[in-house]
Amino acid sequence: MDGHFVTVEHLRQYFPMGGFWGGRTYGRAVEDVSFHIDKGEALGLVGDSGCGKTTTARTLLRLYEPTGGRFVFDGTVIFDVDKKQYADMRPYRRRMQLIFQDPYASLNPRMKVGDIVGEAIDIHGFPSSVHSRKQERWERIVRLLTMVKLDESYANRYPHELSGGQRQRVGIARALSVQPDFLICDEPVSALDMSVQAQILELFLELQEKFGLTYLFISHDLSAVRQIADRVAVMREGRIVDMQE
Ligand SMILES: Nc1ncnc2c1ncn2[C@@H]1O[C@H](COP(=O)(O)OP(=O)(O)OP(=O)(O)O)[C@@H](O)[C@H]1O
Ligand SMILES: [Mg+2]
């Protein structure tokens, strides 16, 4: 045990590419990425387009099978490719949540905001009677919307009726609904206007304070990352090339 909440060592992710004449070639998206994050800390991850930021995030969540490296989360080995050790991801799919750049693409356009936020609550379910369950569900949704500074009237709206900033707030409320402790935010403010970016960054800071959240905060914009990150890792061509304290 090294005591860090998040430890990533020598992460590697190669994508097989159909090679010419059947020969095998690989897209080396992530070559060698190591970092650690303490509980309640925010690590920024910056770098040019295509350097492997999103691939790093998705590999940690096991949305891709890692080619190499080791990831330890809160004392549990999530994967250790050398030792062929892989954790059952079920509890960790709840504890680690991904927040996307474009919440509109990830919000079901046919669902009302209240149901989008309530969906995960439904999956976890409540043991109480049907009547109080409905009431409890509604209160929970309102509480989550309030956390992201949306009043309860938003529960009955559809995503297309909202601004970009409001949609990102819904994306954040949905992520928070399962009470995660590690948020991986992949360019969460890049699609927003500057003034709205500042408000969403402010919200991330407030939520971190309130819930002791740990962040991996990905962006190509160093100035946005500086506002939230305690340290910043700089990535280039699949590697961490600098760590700014
Ligand atoms: N599923 C995939 N299959 C094959 N190659 C991929 C896949 N996903 C990403 N890549 C390649 O891996 C490299 C890293 O891509 P990635 O999306 O991780 O970069 P990024 O740093 O997130 O860029 P951006 O700032 O544009 O979001 C790129 O060359 C990309 O084309
Ligand atoms: Mg990306």
Side-chain angles (χ1 to χ4, degrees):
M1 276 280 296
D2 57 18
H4 296 298
F5 191 59
V6 168
T7 302
V8 176
E9 287 170 355
H10 305 299
L11 186 73
R12 194 161 17 105
Q13 182 63 57
Y14 294 174
F15 293 111
M17 323 265 268
F20 199 52
W21 300 122
R24 275 188 178 223
T25 58
Y26 292 91
R28 302 182 159 207
V30 174
E31 194 62 54
D32 187 0
V33 165
S34 303
F35 58 78
H36 61 82
I37 318 175
D38 286 324
K39 187 147 181 61
E41 195 189 24
L43 177 72
L45 184 61
V46 300
D48 292 338
S49 181
C51 73
K53 304 181 299 293
T54 295
T55 304
T56 297
R58 296 182 63 91
T59 306
L60 293 179
L61 295 172
R62 294 269 303 278
L63 298 173
Y64 301 137
E65 273 316 297
T67 307
R70 182 167 179 266
F71 172 29
V72 184
F73 175 75
D74 196 16
T76 298
V77 175
I78 301 298
F79 58 79
D80 185 331
V81 175
D82 279 351
K83 290 189 178 155
K84 295 190 169 62
Q85 199 177 335
Y86 299 91
D88 173 5
M89 285 305 286
R90 265 169 297 178
Y92 301 101
R93 293 236 179 275
R94 181 188 72 73
R95 293 185 61 189
M96 306 186 220
Q97 289 291 309
L98 188 57
I99 290 181
F100 304 90
Q101 171 171 353
D102 179 3
Y104 195 55
S106 66
L107 302 179
N108 185 339
R110 290 194 202 88
M111 276 169 74
K112 288 181 179 172
V113 164
D115 292 323
I116 290 171
V117 172
E119 199 172 30
I121 302 173
D122 300 338
I123 292 164
H124 288 261
F126 286 106
S128 37
S129 72
V130 175
H131 173 74
S132 68
R133 190 184 136 180
K134 246 181 137 174
Q135 180 64 22
E136 208 171 326
R137 179 180 186 273
W138 174 252
E139 283 167 8
R140 193 82 192 276
I141 289 167
V142 172
R143 214 159 42 232
L144 284 158
L145 290 176
T146 308
M147 276 177 203
V148 297
K149 311 274 190 308
L150 295 174
D151 67 59
E152 63 178 83
S153 72
Y154 283 89
N156 290 313
R157 300 198 201 177
Y158 288 93
H160 74 264
E161 298 175 86
L162 308 183
S163 69
Q166 288 164 346
R167 286 198 293 250
Q168 190 55 290
R169 288 174 194 275
V170 173
I172 295 167
R174 179 179 58 180
L176 291 177
S177 72
V178 294
Q179 299 176 302
D181 37 19
F182 182 34
L183 289 190
I184 299 185
C185 309
D186 191 0
E187 309 264 7
V189 298
S190 306
L192 306 173
D193 295 338
M194 284 310 282
S195 62
V196 182
Q197 284 197 14
Q199 293 166 14
I200 299 292
L201 289 170
E202 195 54 46
L203 177 63
F204 276 121
L205 284 169
E206 195 186 308
L207 294 171
Q208 181 185 33
E209 177 111 326
K210 209 183 228 164
F211 301 112
L213 294 171
T214 303
Y215 291 128
L216 177 62
F217 198 91
I218 297 173
S219 178
H220 59 269
D221 177 4
L222 185 57
S223 67
V225 164
R226 281 241 168 83
Q227 292 178 54
I228 191 158
D230 300 290
R231 289 175 297 127
V232 179
V234 181
M235 224 177 140
R236 189 179 303 140
E237 293 176 5
R239 295 169 192 273
I240 303 285
V241 294
D242 191 23
M243 186 66 78
Q244 304 177 356
E245 300 293 322

